[in-house]
Each structure stands twice: as structure tokens, then as C-alpha cells.
Amino acid sequence: MNGMLEYQTQGFNGYAVKYSPFFDSRIAVASSANFGLVGNGRLYILGLTADGIQAEKWFDTQDSLYDTAWSEAHENQIVVACGDGSVKLFDIALNNFPVQSWQEHNREVYSVSWNLVSKDTFASSSWDGTIKIWSPQRPTSILTLPTHSCTYSTAFSPHSPSVLSSVSSDSHLRIFDLRTPASASNHLVHLIPIHGAPPAPGLPARQSFPPSECLTHDWNKYRSSIIATAGVDTIIRTFDIRNPKAGPLALLPGHEYAVRKLAWSPHLSDVLLSASYDMTCRVWTDGTSNTQQDVFRGGGKELGRLGRHTEFVTGVDWCLFGAEGWCASVSWDQRLLVWDVRAVMGQ
Amino acid sequence: MSAAQKRLGQVSGHLAGSKSGITPTEGDSARAALLQKNPDDIVVTACLRTAFTKGGRGGFKDTAAADLLVGAFKALLDRSKIDPALVEDIAVGSVLAPGGGATEFRAAALAAGFPVTAAVRSLNRQCSSGLQACVDIANAIQSGMIDIGIGAGVESMSSQYGPGAVTEFSELLDSHPEAKNCKVPMGVLSEKMAKDKNIPRTVQDAFAASSYQKALKAQEAGLFNEEIAPLTVKWEDPNTGDVKEITVSKDDGVRPGITAESLAKIKPAFAKDGSIHAGNASQISDGAAAVLLMKRSTAEKLGQTILGKYVAASVAGVAPLLMGIGPWAAIPKVFEKTGINKDDVDIFEINEAFASQCVWCANELGLDPKKINPKGGAIAFGHPLGCTGARQVSTLLYELRRRGEKIGVTSMCVGTGMGMAAVWVAE
């Protein structure tokens, strides 16, 4: 493929990749030695230059790193999700050490997500069965939302400062609205069984699946109520949270092993990118590009795939700037690939 | 287990789950999901029971229910080596004890060596009380209310079985036809159900005889040795009046020489033209059982041996007069919750309240007879009401482990018209 760029994260297996929301040439990679099982973590800050990808800086951590999120308010700040249960904030103008480290989670932190609307808070989720909300200015978390289940992914809505979501090993998509009063429900407003609800009298029978661990999800950037989920059962699903009982809108089967990461396109409302244990990245449309009806006819399909990684692909992200197809992927093969999805479509 | 091993387990879980997702058999993938080990699983790290002995005649005839419970608790502490101060709550299922047994069961926990910080309560969901106790403790752990708890069951039918266990019905209850059915005696309604559902006596006797034969074989092969904790008690010899100490370590209801033909000679107990008799109904017995439950993460931290895990439970109501069909209603419900089907299950422990209802449920659900109660059931060794649900956990998990099998279901019918079922996985 022409124009594909590559960077070797020597000795470190990739876990997550994020483009800077401020600079079109800056990418962060969260990575871990020994496949994230034991040993150090490393956060790479990489620059896209005329001479290829160059490391501007890196930060080493005691334990593995599983996810990262750029601050939406400060162009030099970035948080990481750490295997020892800590969440750390780095300033890339400084060297070596984080400017803040919060040690509250009891187990591996697996995802971090910055609030895209108010920009002053971020969320983390952990295998300890909680989501925590943080402010960079505060020494302790602001709020803890229990899920009672190993929570692989949490994300703020790109359309509201107070709505966030999570998916976890109990096969459920949760929606929290922080405007609801603090009560026994802990701000939980929807609990959606991803595998499908059991058949109920009076409702038409639906295709149902056994529950399975859900590993990743993402909010659509244009349609404020649409979320895509995926995980161990290999099927990507989209849900409309305005009608949580309706089950999935689109089912996109195709990956051969569990899906590790999903990202909706920042440019096209129907396009999704996925990364999987089957070593591929795939581009999908959920079938909503033409008419709203298409999705019910199963118009969703795979548009193309990247097969260049040689190990589990763990992270993908879209470039927010410039032409509408550029993205980056990281893998346990210790490589970051920067590529244009238009080059793999229709192959 | 080290942190690295746990992380590896997590990743291999992702791969194992999706691999079976590729093969289209849905049952397989649900089974695979069930077999996955997660830190928040509710696991059993010790379970046991006392022997069951005949009501009024057996080794425990002079032992109070609370004393049986003390014996079971002591044995559980001894086997698990758990620090009793870590146990936060104990639920005890019991049916006949006046006042639910709340006072003497708390006292029993203290006498067994638990500190005052271990809370105790009793509960009564009739014949499923022991299972309900385990499920309540599992739910309390799952919800974060407690970290470590014990589900138990006990019944001394020798001392507490009789008409006193049910309050007189008010006029209001008696005037409501369905409500009134709740007080119809078990034997009478089972006889009626056997007639309505057309379950011939020959089928019942054959099922009962096979329960006796399986239990005898299991007892001779020592298959109950792991689940039974021997208990030393005082016992009065009815012939001489002498009181002596005996150690009870065997179910005394199990006996040789029982065949469908020998059972065919017994007179029906509830109706002249009936089909139910002492030989094809559960025995009246004394006994206690206990199950130690906690999260997998807690068990690993404490170095406890994990015997199996609790997955899910269901409860279902049925017409009071058809109480025997309870398992038929409850088992599909728990299958729906867990996504498995009958072929995924290796052993069903279905309580044999009456041969008639057990065999009807099994046939109606299309269960493989070889998978049902492989070591016999309540017909052969007894049904101390509140204890049975907790007893089944031990009977099931040790047998699954012995055979190298994985998934088991415990279930029973419940007086006044209910059924309960639970799914367990041996490890």
C-alpha cells in the first residue's frame, strides 16, 4: 500500500493509539512490555514528519499501559490507564514523571475517556467493576459509578457534557446521566443487554445470542443517540439509546476473533473502524448512508480491511484533520501503522 | 494466582469465547461463556453435609437441629481453614423450626466458633430453603453487601415434624379456592397430581428402586465420603434406655435389596387406589448442610481451594395443587438466564420429593435419565426439608469433580406451589 507509515515500538506491545485533538501531526501510543502481562508500560508521543514518524518523547511507567486520552482543554496534557490501578496525567512539555497520579482503582484500569463537551473532566473504567470521574485539578475522584462487572470501556458522549456510557464483561451497555439525582441507581439510566433481551410476551421474537464479554464501544459523532459495541462474540452491533428495548439496529458479523476496539469516523456518519484479535482492522458502513430504512434491511457491510498487522490489533483511531480517511492502528506486533482507509476499501 | 496469570486468563477468555463464537452451535458458546473464570465469579470454597438419618429412629433422633448445625459449621471451618472472623453473614434455611429458628441458629454459629461479628439469619422457602440460603448469600456478595458468607440448611424432622408447623387458616383464606389449596397435605396433592398427570405406579416404583440402587452403589464405592462430615452425638438406645455417644458418618436410609418388584408390594399411603407409598416418596430425615461462598478474587487472595462456582438461580410459581411440577417451571427459566440448554448440563440434582413428580418433570423436560441424581436422591437417603437445597450443592459439586464434568443444575419442587433451580460449575 502506498503512503503507509510505520513506527516500531521496540520491546513494547501496542495497546491504544490516539491522535492529538490539537495537532494533525501528533499521535500518542500506550504500550506495554511482555504483552501487558507483566512489566513496564510506555507512553510514546510521536510526530508525523517529512522523514516519517519520529519519537518526540516517551514516558515509562512501572506497570503496563492499556489506554490513553488526550486532554481536550490543554494541548500538552494526556492521561493513561495503568495496570496497577492508577490513572496518570502527563505534561509532554516536562520530562520523565507524571504531573498527577491517582491511585483509587483496585485493579487494572482499561480505558480512559475525556469529556468532549465540557472538557474539564475525564472518566476511567477498570476491571474492579467501577467507572470513576476525575478532574485534573482535584486530588481524588469526583464520582464513582459501580458496574459490578469488569468494565473494559467507558466513553463520554460527544454531544452532552453529562452523559457517559460503558460496556463490560457482563454483556451489558450502560448509559449514565450525571444530571439525574444521586440515588440508589447511581445515575444509571439505561442497562441494555447487548446479546439481546430474553423473549417477552407481547413482543415479537428476536434473534438472541448467549451473553458474552463486551470489550469496546464508541458514540457516533453525528447521530447523538447511536452507539456501536463489540467484543468476544465478534459481532459489531449498533444501538439507538432512544429505544433501548428495541435491541440492535445493525449487526455486523465478520471478524473471526474478538473485537478489541471500535471508532466511528469523525467525517462520515455511517463509517466505523474496528480492530480485532484476528489481526485485521476493518472498515464498515452500518448501512445508514442512503436512507434510514437501509439499516433494517441489513444494509450494513464491510467496506475493506487492513491485513498488514502480524499480531492482535488492539487500537485504532481516526485523524480528525485533513482528508477524511487517515487513521492509525497499533498491535501486539510492536508496530504503529498510519494509513488511509480509502486505500483498502473495495479490496 | 499472580497478576500476570490473571491478565493472561482475561486475554485467553477473550479468545476462547470468540473461538466458539465461530462455530455456529449456540449451546457450545453459552457453555464456553459459563466456563470462563472471572474475578467477580461467586465461588464455593467448601461445602459439606452431615449424614442423613431416619426421623425418630436414626442416629440424630436425639440431636437438636441447632446442634446438627453446629456440627456442620465446625466441619466447614475445619475443612476450609477460613478465619471465622472473615465470615460476615450466614443464612440458614429451615422449615419446621418454631420462630424460623432465628434464635437458636445465631446461638449455633457462636457455639461453632464464629465471633459475634458474624451475622446470622434464618429463612423459609419450604423445601428450597437451603438453596435459597445459598442464593441469598451469593446475591449479597454479588451486590457488594458482604464479601464472605455461608449458605446453610438444617432440619430435625425427628423433633419438629408435625401439625404444629402450620398456622390454622383464617376464614378469609379458607374462602378463597386457590389460597385454600396451600394447606392440602403433600401426600394428598401428589396423589391427585399423579392421577391427573397419569403417572402409573410402575413408573414411580421403577424410579424409586433405581434411586435406592444408585445410592447403595455410591455408598459402597465411598462416593459420599467427601460430602459427609462425620458427627459425634448422644443417642438413646430405645431398647435399653442407655445414652451413649455415637459417630454418625453414613446415610442410614440407604439399604440393599430394593427392587421395583419389592416396592410394588407396599400399600398406598394416601388413598386406597393410590400409587404413592413410603417406598416411592422421600424419607423423613434429620440433617444439616453448609456452603462457603465468596468472590473468586477473594478466594484467590485468601488461598482458598475453589470447588466450583454459582452461576444463576430461578424461582417460579405454579398452582399449589401441582406443586410437584415446580422444577419443570424453574429449570427452563434458569436456562434462559444463562443461555445454556439441557444438553450443556452434565448432572441434574432434582429433589425426589415424590417419585411421581420427579419422573414427570424429567420426562416433560426431556432430560437424559442417566444425568439425573446419579448418586440417588431423597427417596433413598432422605429429605430433611430445609437442608436439602444446601445438601444438593455438595452432592453435585463433588460428583462433577470426580467425573471431570463441569455444569450441574440443582432443583426442587416447593410446597404451596413453587420451584427453584440453580446452575453451578465445578472446577
Side-chain angles (χ1 to χ4, degrees):
Chain A
M1 188 198 306
N2 286 331
M4 189 169 77
L5 301 172
E6 180 177 330
Y7 180 83
Q8 301 231 347
T9 55
Q10 196 70 54
F12 287 85
N13 307 98
Y15 260 91
V17 58
K18 290 285 167 61
Y19 273 94
S20 163
F22 293 95
F23 305 102
D24 61 356
S25 60
R26 185 169 284 162
I27 297 177
V29 173
S31 63
S32 302
N34 307 312
F35 308 100
L37 299 178
V38 61
N40 301 115
R42 179 173 284 179
L43 174 68
Y44 286 91
I45 308 297
L46 305 170
L48 299 169
T49 72
D51 303 325
I53 303 175
Q54 306 285 343
E56 294 177 5
K57 185 157 274 182
W58 63 65
F59 298 95
D60 283 341
T61 54
Q62 278 282 320
D63 207 333
S64 308
L65 295 185
Y66 296 125
D67 198 16
T68 183
W70 288 96
S71 165
E72 295 286 331
H74 191 306
E75 74 271 23
N76 283 340
Q77 294 194 344
I78 183 166
V79 287
V80 290
C82 200
D84 61 7
S86 69
V87 175
K88 297 181 197 296
L89 179 73
F90 287 98
D91 189 312
I92 63 172
L94 303 173
N95 289 328
N96 300 332
F97 300 108
V99 290
Q100 182 74 273
S101 178
W102 296 274
Q103 183 77 50
E104 288 191 25
H105 283 297
N106 293 323
R107 294 214 46 201
E108 288 80 351
V109 185
Y110 225 58
S111 86
V112 279
S113 167
W114 209 279
N115 190 321
L116 296 160
V117 181
S118 75
K119 303 179 193 288
D120 60 348
T121 54
F122 65 93
S124 62
S125 80
S126 161
W127 292 5
D128 70 1
T130 65
I131 298 163
K132 284 177 184 280
I133 297 177
W134 314 82
S135 157
Q137 276 83 34
R138 299 228 177 249
T140 56
S141 61
I142 299 172
L143 192 64
T144 300
L145 304 169
T147 62
H148 305 298
S149 173
C150 177
T151 307
Y152 288 108
S153 168
T154 186
F156 270 104
S157 161
H159 310 278
S160 162
S162 43
V163 174
L164 73 159
S165 55
S166 75
V167 293
S168 47
S169 65
D170 66 359
S171 194
H172 281 79
L173 167 64
R174 287 174 170 79
I175 310 292
F176 300 91
D177 188 335
L178 307 180
R179 293 167 298 193
T180 55
S183 68
S185 66
N186 286 301
H187 304 288
L188 182 71
V189 288
H190 294 306
L191 180 64
I192 302 172
I194 292 165
H195 52 279
L203 288 175
R206 283 195 298 263
Q207 196 179 4
S208 80
F209 299 85
S212 81
E213 290 195 285
C214 190
L215 305 180
T216 176
H217 76 306
D218 194 28
W219 290 82
N220 190 283
K221 311 303 175 211
Y222 292 90
R223 291 174 287 149
S224 63
S225 60
I226 303 296
I227 292 176
T229 68
V232 168
D233 77 355
T234 74
I235 302 168
I236 300 168
R237 295 173 173 82
T238 64
F239 291 90
D240 188 335
I241 58 165
R242 290 173 302 185
N243 191 2
K245 290 199 171 69
L249 296 177
L251 290 176
L252 302 171
H255 274 299
E256 285 160 40
Y257 282 91
V259 181
R260 264 305 306 271
K261 183 71 184 171
L262 282 179
W264 284 102
S265 163
H267 302 287
L268 300 167
S269 73
D270 65 316
V271 172
L272 257 172
L273 191 55
S274 61
S276 163
Y277 283 104
D278 71 7
M279 305 189 203
T280 65
C281 290
R282 302 191 190 198
V283 194
W284 309 80
T285 170
D286 71 349
T288 55
S289 55
N290 299 323
T291 67
Q292 196 64 34
Q293 298 302 313
D294 258 12
V295 62
F296 299 108
R297 298 201 206 105
K301 60 172 190 277
E302 185 184 329
L303 299 174
R305 73 177 73 170
L306 176 82
R308 295 294 188 89
H309 281 294
T310 56
E311 254 298 345
F312 303 157
V313 191
T314 45
V316 281
D317 195 30
W318 295 87
C319 181
L320 299 166
F321 303 95
E324 64 195 28
W326 282 93
C327 67
S329 58
V330 290
S331 158
W332 280 17
D333 65 9
Q334 308 192 359
R335 290 189 305 154
L336 161 76
L337 297 181
V338 173
W339 47 287
D340 187 343
V341 296
R342 288 167 299 183
V344 301
M345 273 157 66
Q347 278 184 355
Chain B
M1 203 180 0
S2 76
Q5 272 174 305
K6 283 185 205 165
R7 288 177 186 176
L8 183 60
Q10 207 95 2
V11 173
S12 27
H14 299 167
L15 289 168
S18 51
K19 205 164 187 180
S20 55
I22 296 169
T23 53
T25 51
E26 196 176 303
D28 261 8
S29 52
R31 189 183 159 96
L34 223 60
L35 297 181
Q36 275 184 32
K37 295 177 182 178
N38 296 314
D40 56 354
D41 288 339
I42 307 299
V43 298
V44 174
T45 66
C47 55
L48 52 80
R49 65 176 177 104
T50 65
F52 285 3
T53 64
K54 286 180 192 165
R57 287 181 290 158
F60 293 141
K61 73 180 177 67
D62 303 314
T63 309
D67 293 9
L68 291 173
L69 202 56
V70 171
F73 284 161
K74 278 186 172 164
L76 197 71
L77 287 174
D78 184 50
R79 272 203 204 177
S80 65
K81 305 276 183 287
I82 189 133
D83 176 359
L86 296 176
V87 175
E88 285 176 275
D89 197 11
I90 300 172
V92 184
S94 191
V95 177
L96 302 170
T103 311
E104 66 267 29
F105 297 162
R106 165 74 169 162
L110 297 174
F114 289 99
V116 293
T117 50
V120 179
R121 74 185 172 96
S122 66
L123 63 93
N124 186 352
R125 196 201 285 282
Q126 314 272 15
C127 309
S128 69
S129 302
L131 174 58
Q132 186 68 53
C134 296
V135 171
D136 281 4
I137 290 294
N139 287 342
I141 297 170
Q142 220 148 30
S143 72
M145 183 182 168
I146 60 169
D147 286 328
I148 299 176
I150 293 172
V154 66
E155 208 69 63
S156 169
M157 296 180 78
S158 292
S159 53
Q160 292 170 326
Y161 188 49
V166 185
T167 310
E168 277 296 310
F169 269 26
S170 64
E171 255 179 58
L172 176 64
L173 297 188
D174 272 335
S175 68
H176 185 287
E178 195 67 298
K180 192 179 176 198
N181 287 336
C182 291
K183 70 171 184 186
V184 176
M186 289 298 129
V188 177
L189 68 85
S190 294
E191 191 64 80
K192 191 168 177 309
M193 176 182 150
K195 262 187 208 139
D196 288 355
K197 300 279 183 195
N198 202 10
I199 311 156
R201 171 159 177 177
T202 46
V203 172
Q204 298 178 40
D205 286 350
F207 181 86
S210 99
S211 178
Y212 275 108
Q213 290 155 7
K214 285 185 286 187
L216 182 68
K217 221 170 140 187
Q219 195 179 59
E220 282 170 349
L223 303 191
F224 292 115
N225 294 354
E226 274 186 300
E227 61 182 88
I228 295 178
L231 186 59
T232 304
V233 294
K234 290 213 171 73
W235 181 78
E236 188 190 299
D237 190 323
N239 298 325
T240 61
D242 293 341
V243 176
K244 53 184 177 183
E245 276 209 342
I246 57 166
T247 297
V248 184
S249 55
K250 252 178 145 179
D251 299 327
D252 66 6
V254 181
R255 52 186 187 269
I258 300 217
T259 61
E261 292 70 40
S262 73
L263 291 178
K265 291 176 197 147
I266 305 176
K267 261 194 205 150
F270 303 100
K272 268 191 191 147
D273 59 342
S275 59
I276 294 175
H277 54 81
N280 64 18
S282 54
Q283 298 185 25
I284 290 165
S285 312
D286 304 330
V291 180
L292 178 60
L293 294 149
M294 64 191 76
K295 276 197 182 150
R296 184 184 302 281
S297 50
T298 314
E300 283 166 358
K301 203 162 67 193
L302 298 176
Q304 290 273 307
T305 314
I306 295 174
L307 301 176
K309 73 170 173 184
Y310 160 80
V311 181
S314 67
V315 63
V318 298
L321 285 183
L322 294 177
M323 76 90 197
I325 68 171
W328 166 82
I331 291 174
K333 226 171 156 178
V334 82
F335 281 170
E336 198 172 283
K337 287 177 201 299
T338 48
I340 56 169
N341 61 42
K342 64 178 169 32
D343 301 322
D344 293 322
V345 178
D346 299 311
I347 294 179
F348 289 90
E349 274 291 331
I350 302 177
N351 187 40
E352 300 166 352
F354 297 93
S356 56
Q357 56 82 217
C358 194
V359 82
W360 183 86
C361 290
N363 289 344
E364 204 65 16
L365 293 170
L367 307 183
D368 178 355
K370 282 198 231 58
K371 290 183 176 179
I372 301 171
N373 304 348
K375 296 194 281 191
I379 290 171
F381 49 73
H383 173 28
L385 309 173
C387 170
T388 290
R391 184 275 297 171
Q392 287 179 323
V393 180
S394 301
T395 310
L396 175 73
L397 287 182
Y398 286 119
E399 182 63 7
L400 284 171
R401 284 164 63 88
R402 189 184 69 80
R403 298 173 169 210
E405 293 177 340
K406 290 290 175 198
I407 297 180
V409 166
T410 63
S411 181
M412 69 285 287
C413 59
V414 180
T416 71
M418 290 179 276
M420 262 192 96
V423 176
W424 307 81
V425 176
E427 294 183 5

